Amino acid sequence: MSITMLVLIRSLAAFFILFFFTRLIGKQQLSQLTVFEYLVGITIGSIASAMSIELDIQSMNGIFGMAVWAVIPIAFAIIGLKSPIMRRYIQGEPRVLIRNGRIVDHNLRKERLDLDQLMMLLRQKNIFAVADVEFAIMEVNGQLSVMPKSNKRPLTASDMNLPVRSEQNSITFIKDGVVNSQALIEAGLDRTWLIGKLREQGIQDEKEVFLAQLDSHDQFFVDRKEDWRENLNPGYEHILSQFYQLHADFHQFSLLTEDEKVKKDYYKMKRQLDKMIRQVETHISKVKS
Protein backbone atom coordinates (compact mmCIF):
# COMPACT_ATOMS: atom_id res chain seq x y z
CA MET A 1 0.00 0.00 0.00
CA SER A 2 1.36 3.43 -0.94
CA ILE A 3 2.19 5.99 1.76
CA THR A 4 -0.42 8.42 0.35
CA MET A 5 -3.19 5.82 0.60
CA LEU A 6 -2.07 4.86 4.11
CA VAL A 7 -2.17 8.50 5.24
CA LEU A 8 -5.64 8.87 3.70
CA ILE A 9 -6.99 5.81 5.51
CA ARG A 10 -5.42 6.79 8.84
CA SER A 11 -6.70 10.37 8.49
CA LEU A 12 -10.26 9.20 7.82
CA ALA A 13 -10.06 6.79 10.74
CA ALA A 14 -8.69 9.55 13.02
CA PHE A 15 -11.49 11.90 11.94
CA PHE A 16 -14.31 9.47 12.74
CA ILE A 17 -12.70 8.38 16.02
CA LEU A 18 -12.22 12.04 16.99
CA PHE A 19 -15.85 12.75 16.08
CA PHE A 20 -16.98 9.82 18.24
CA PHE A 21 -14.98 10.92 21.28
CA THR A 22 -16.12 14.54 20.87
CA ARG A 23 -19.75 13.41 20.91
CA LEU A 24 -18.97 11.19 23.90
CA ILE A 25 -17.52 14.08 25.89
CA GLY A 26 -20.70 16.10 25.27
CA LYS A 27 -21.93 19.38 23.84
CA GLN A 28 -20.26 21.42 26.55
CA GLN A 29 -16.93 20.67 24.89
CA LEU A 30 -18.23 22.36 21.75
CA SER A 31 -19.77 25.45 23.35
CA GLN A 32 -18.21 27.74 25.96
CA LEU A 33 -14.98 26.03 26.98
CA THR A 34 -13.33 26.25 30.37
CA VAL A 35 -9.52 26.27 30.42
CA PHE A 36 -9.47 22.56 31.29
CA GLU A 37 -11.85 21.65 28.45
CA TYR A 38 -9.84 23.79 26.05
CA LEU A 39 -6.63 21.90 26.92
CA VAL A 40 -8.38 18.53 26.59
CA GLY A 41 -9.72 19.47 23.15
CA ILE A 42 -6.31 20.61 21.91
CA THR A 43 -4.62 17.43 23.20
CA ILE A 44 -7.13 15.05 21.62
CA GLY A 45 -6.89 16.94 18.33
CA SER A 46 -3.08 16.81 18.45
CA ILE A 47 -3.15 13.05 19.03
CA ALA A 48 -5.55 12.59 16.11
CA SER A 49 -3.40 14.68 13.75
CA ALA A 50 -0.23 12.83 14.81
CA MET A 51 -1.95 9.48 14.30
CA SER A 52 -2.97 10.42 10.75
CA ILE A 53 0.44 11.53 9.37
CA GLU A 54 3.12 10.08 11.67
CA LEU A 55 3.24 6.53 10.34
CA ASP A 56 5.64 5.31 13.01
CA ILE A 57 2.86 5.71 15.59
CA GLN A 58 0.73 2.59 15.77
CA SER A 59 -2.96 3.23 15.20
CA MET A 60 -4.01 1.43 18.36
CA ASN A 61 -1.69 3.58 20.45
CA GLY A 62 -3.25 6.73 19.00
CA ILE A 63 -6.78 5.43 19.61
CA PHE A 64 -5.88 4.45 23.18
CA GLY A 65 -4.36 7.89 23.82
CA MET A 66 -7.50 9.68 22.57
CA ALA A 67 -9.68 7.36 24.65
CA VAL A 68 -7.71 8.19 27.81
CA TRP A 69 -8.00 11.94 27.20
CA ALA A 70 -11.71 11.57 26.45
CA VAL A 71 -12.37 9.60 29.63
CA ILE A 72 -10.56 12.13 31.85
CA PRO A 73 -13.04 15.04 31.37
CA ILE A 74 -15.99 12.64 31.64
CA ALA A 75 -14.63 11.32 34.95
CA PHE A 76 -13.94 14.84 36.22
CA ALA A 77 -17.46 15.93 35.21
CA ILE A 78 -18.98 13.05 37.20
CA ILE A 79 -16.77 13.91 40.19
CA GLY A 80 -17.73 17.57 39.90
CA LEU A 81 -21.44 16.70 39.95
CA LYS A 82 -21.00 14.77 43.19
CA SER A 83 -18.51 17.07 44.93
CA PRO A 84 -18.82 20.88 44.83
CA ILE A 85 -15.34 21.19 46.37
CA MET A 86 -13.74 19.14 43.59
CA ARG A 87 -15.79 21.05 41.00
CA ARG A 88 -14.31 24.29 42.31
CA TYR A 89 -10.78 22.91 41.98
CA ILE A 90 -11.37 21.41 38.53
CA GLN A 91 -13.36 24.19 36.86
CA GLY A 92 -12.48 27.15 39.04
CA GLU A 93 -15.10 29.54 40.36
CA PRO A 94 -16.60 32.86 39.28
CA ARG A 95 -14.96 35.96 40.73
CA VAL A 96 -16.48 39.38 41.30
CA LEU A 97 -14.25 41.98 39.63
CA ILE A 98 -16.51 45.02 40.17
CA ARG A 99 -18.98 45.54 43.00
CA ASN A 100 -21.16 48.65 43.23
CA GLY A 101 -18.95 50.62 40.85
CA ARG A 102 -15.73 49.69 42.67
CA ILE A 103 -13.00 47.41 41.31
CA VAL A 104 -12.14 44.43 43.52
CA ASP A 105 -8.35 44.65 43.22
CA HIS A 106 -7.34 41.31 44.74
CA ASN A 107 -9.78 39.37 42.49
CA LEU A 108 -8.43 41.25 39.48
CA ARG A 109 -4.92 40.12 40.40
CA LYS A 110 -6.10 36.51 40.88
CA GLU A 111 -7.46 36.56 37.34
CA ARG A 112 -4.17 38.11 36.12
CA LEU A 113 -6.01 40.98 34.45
CA ASP A 114 -4.84 44.56 34.20
CA LEU A 115 -7.06 47.63 33.98
CA ASP A 116 -6.74 47.90 30.20
CA GLN A 117 -7.96 44.32 29.75
CA LEU A 118 -10.84 44.89 32.17
CA MET A 119 -11.92 48.03 30.33
CA MET A 120 -11.76 46.18 27.01
CA LEU A 121 -14.06 43.45 28.38
CA LEU A 122 -16.47 46.12 29.67
CA ARG A 123 -16.52 47.92 26.32
CA GLN A 124 -17.44 44.64 24.65
CA LYS A 125 -20.56 44.76 26.85
CA ASN A 126 -21.23 48.39 25.82
CA ILE A 127 -20.09 49.67 29.23
CA PHE A 128 -17.62 52.56 29.10
CA ALA A 129 -17.51 53.65 32.76
CA VAL A 130 -16.76 51.47 35.78
CA ALA A 131 -19.09 53.65 37.87
CA ASP A 132 -22.05 52.41 35.77
CA VAL A 133 -21.51 48.79 36.85
CA GLU A 134 -23.34 47.16 39.75
CA PHE A 135 -21.60 43.79 39.37
CA ALA A 136 -19.03 42.39 36.94
CA ILE A 137 -18.22 38.72 37.33
CA MET A 138 -15.51 36.72 35.57
CA GLU A 139 -17.07 33.35 34.74
CA VAL A 140 -15.19 30.05 34.72
CA ASN A 141 -15.12 30.05 30.90
CA GLY A 142 -13.37 33.44 30.77
CA GLN A 143 -16.47 35.45 29.83
CA LEU A 144 -17.31 38.63 31.74
CA SER A 145 -20.92 38.92 32.95
CA VAL A 146 -21.97 42.51 33.66
CA MET A 147 -25.02 43.90 35.47
CA PRO A 148 -25.30 47.69 35.00
CA LYS A 149 -26.67 49.86 37.77
CA SER A 150 -30.44 50.16 37.77
CA ASN A 151 -30.38 53.76 36.53
CA LYS A 152 -28.16 52.75 33.60
CA ARG A 153 -30.30 49.89 32.30
CA PRO A 154 -32.86 50.25 29.51
CA LEU A 155 -36.45 50.61 30.68
CA THR A 156 -38.49 47.42 30.69
CA ALA A 157 -42.23 46.90 30.75
CA SER A 158 -42.05 45.81 34.40
CA ASP A 159 -40.28 49.07 35.33
CA MET A 160 -43.29 50.97 33.97
CA ASN A 161 -45.87 48.49 35.35
CA LEU A 162 -47.13 47.74 31.85
CA PRO A 163 -48.96 44.47 31.14
CA VAL A 164 -47.15 42.35 28.56
CA ARG A 165 -48.48 39.45 26.55
CA SER A 166 -46.57 36.22 26.91
CA GLU A 167 -44.50 35.43 23.83
CA GLN A 168 -44.73 32.12 22.01
CA ASN A 169 -42.51 30.65 19.34
CA SER A 170 -43.45 31.52 15.76
CA ILE A 171 -45.07 28.65 13.89
CA THR A 172 -43.53 27.80 10.52
CA PHE A 173 -46.13 26.60 8.02
CA ILE A 174 -44.04 26.66 4.82
CA LYS A 175 -40.32 26.21 4.45
CA ASP A 176 -38.68 26.30 1.02
CA GLY A 177 -41.98 25.65 -0.76
CA VAL A 178 -42.98 22.66 1.41
CA VAL A 179 -46.09 22.89 3.62
CA ASN A 180 -45.72 21.62 7.21
CA SER A 181 -49.08 19.88 7.70
CA GLN A 182 -48.23 18.91 11.28
CA ALA A 183 -47.70 22.56 12.24
CA LEU A 184 -51.12 23.44 10.78
CA ILE A 185 -52.77 20.68 12.83
CA GLU A 186 -51.03 21.75 16.05
CA ALA A 187 -52.13 25.36 15.46
CA GLY A 188 -55.74 24.25 14.92
CA LEU A 189 -55.67 25.43 11.30
CA ASP A 190 -55.99 23.75 7.93
CA ARG A 191 -54.66 24.03 4.41
CA THR A 192 -57.68 26.05 3.28
CA TRP A 193 -56.82 28.79 5.79
CA LEU A 194 -53.19 28.77 4.61
CA ILE A 195 -54.16 29.02 0.93
CA GLY A 196 -56.49 31.91 1.75
CA LYS A 197 -53.68 33.77 3.53
CA LEU A 198 -51.38 33.24 0.55
CA ARG A 199 -54.07 34.45 -1.88
CA GLU A 200 -54.39 37.67 0.17
CA GLN A 201 -50.75 38.38 -0.70
CA GLY A 202 -51.14 37.49 -4.37
CA ILE A 203 -49.45 34.07 -4.11
CA GLN A 204 -51.11 31.32 -6.12
CA ASP A 205 -48.76 28.43 -5.33
CA GLU A 206 -47.05 27.55 -2.03
CA LYS A 207 -43.95 26.55 -4.01
CA GLU A 208 -43.36 30.28 -4.58
CA VAL A 209 -42.91 30.71 -0.82
CA PHE A 210 -39.51 30.46 0.84
CA LEU A 211 -40.84 30.94 4.40
CA ALA A 212 -44.32 31.43 5.90
CA GLN A 213 -44.78 31.93 9.65
CA LEU A 214 -47.42 32.95 12.16
CA ASP A 215 -46.03 34.84 15.17
CA SER A 216 -47.39 35.04 18.72
CA HIS A 217 -49.42 38.15 17.79
CA ASP A 218 -51.21 36.28 14.96
CA GLN A 219 -49.28 38.22 12.32
CA PHE A 220 -48.81 36.18 9.14
CA PHE A 221 -45.39 36.64 7.53
CA VAL A 222 -44.45 35.47 4.03
CA ASP A 223 -41.09 35.63 2.31
CA ARG A 224 -41.17 34.69 -1.37
CA LYS A 225 -38.40 32.82 -3.11
CA GLU A 226 -35.91 35.18 -4.73
CA ASP A 227 -37.96 38.09 -3.37
CA TRP A 228 -34.72 40.01 -3.02
CA ARG A 229 -31.58 39.67 -5.07
CA GLU A 230 -28.41 41.60 -4.49
CA ASN A 231 -28.23 44.63 -6.82
CA LEU A 232 -31.86 44.08 -7.93
CA ASN A 233 -34.29 46.79 -6.92
CA PRO A 234 -37.68 45.12 -6.15
CA GLY A 235 -39.30 48.16 -7.82
CA TYR A 236 -38.20 46.85 -11.23
CA GLU A 237 -40.64 43.94 -11.01
CA HIS A 238 -43.41 46.32 -9.96
CA ILE A 239 -42.65 48.67 -12.85
CA LEU A 240 -42.68 45.78 -15.30
CA SER A 241 -46.09 44.60 -14.08
CA GLN A 242 -47.41 48.16 -14.49
CA PHE A 243 -46.05 48.24 -18.04
CA TYR A 244 -47.82 44.96 -18.83
CA GLN A 245 -51.10 46.37 -17.52
CA LEU A 246 -50.67 49.61 -19.48
CA HIS A 247 -49.86 47.65 -22.63
CA ALA A 248 -53.08 45.64 -22.25
CA ASP A 249 -55.06 48.86 -21.65
CA PHE A 250 -53.69 50.48 -24.84
CA HIS A 251 -54.65 47.39 -26.82
CA GLN A 252 -58.16 47.41 -25.31
CA PHE A 253 -58.64 51.15 -25.97
CA SER A 254 -57.55 50.75 -29.57
CA LEU A 255 -60.24 48.11 -30.10
CA LEU A 256 -62.97 50.19 -28.48
CA THR A 257 -62.42 53.50 -30.30
CA GLU A 258 -63.89 54.23 -33.75
CA ASP A 259 -61.63 57.22 -34.36
CA GLU A 260 -58.85 56.10 -36.72
CA LYS A 261 -56.49 58.86 -35.60
CA VAL A 262 -56.90 57.90 -31.93
CA LYS A 263 -56.53 54.23 -32.87
CA LYS A 264 -53.19 55.01 -34.57
CA ASP A 265 -52.05 56.96 -31.52
CA TYR A 266 -52.81 53.98 -29.28
CA TYR A 267 -50.87 51.66 -31.61
CA LYS A 268 -47.94 54.06 -31.62
CA MET A 269 -47.90 54.27 -27.81
CA LYS A 270 -48.15 50.50 -27.61
CA ARG A 271 -45.08 50.07 -29.86
CA GLN A 272 -43.13 52.54 -27.73
CA LEU A 273 -44.18 50.64 -24.62
CA ASP A 274 -43.08 47.35 -26.24
CA LYS A 275 -39.60 48.81 -26.58
CA MET A 276 -39.54 49.95 -22.94
CA ILE A 277 -40.76 46.54 -21.73
CA ARG A 278 -37.97 44.76 -23.64
CA GLN A 279 -35.39 47.10 -22.13
CA VAL A 280 -36.62 46.49 -18.58
CA GLU A 281 -36.83 42.71 -19.15
CA THR A 282 -33.26 42.69 -20.51
CA HIS A 283 -32.03 44.69 -17.52
CA ILE A 284 -33.71 42.37 -15.01
CA SER A 285 -32.37 39.23 -16.73
CA LYS A 286 -28.82 40.66 -16.64
CA VAL A 287 -29.06 41.47 -12.94
CA LYS A 288 -30.49 38.05 -12.08
CA SER A 289 -27.87 36.13 -14.07
Side-chain angles (χ1 to χ4, degrees), residues 98 108 113-130 138 142 144 146:
I98 300 175
L108 197 66
L113 288 174
D114 57 35
L115 285 175
D116 290 335
Q117 292 172 319
L118 177 62
M119 293 305 300
M120 178 189 69
L121 293 173
L122 289 174
R123 288 193 295 271
Q124 290 175 349
K125 301 291 184 179
N126 293 323
I127 302 292
F128 292 85
V130 174
M138 179 62 73
L144 187 69
V146 179

Side-chain angles (χ1 to χ4, degrees), residues 98 125 159 172 207 236 284:
I98 300 175
K125 301 291 184 179
D159 293 331
T172 300
K207 290 183 173 56
Y236 293 150
I284 292 176

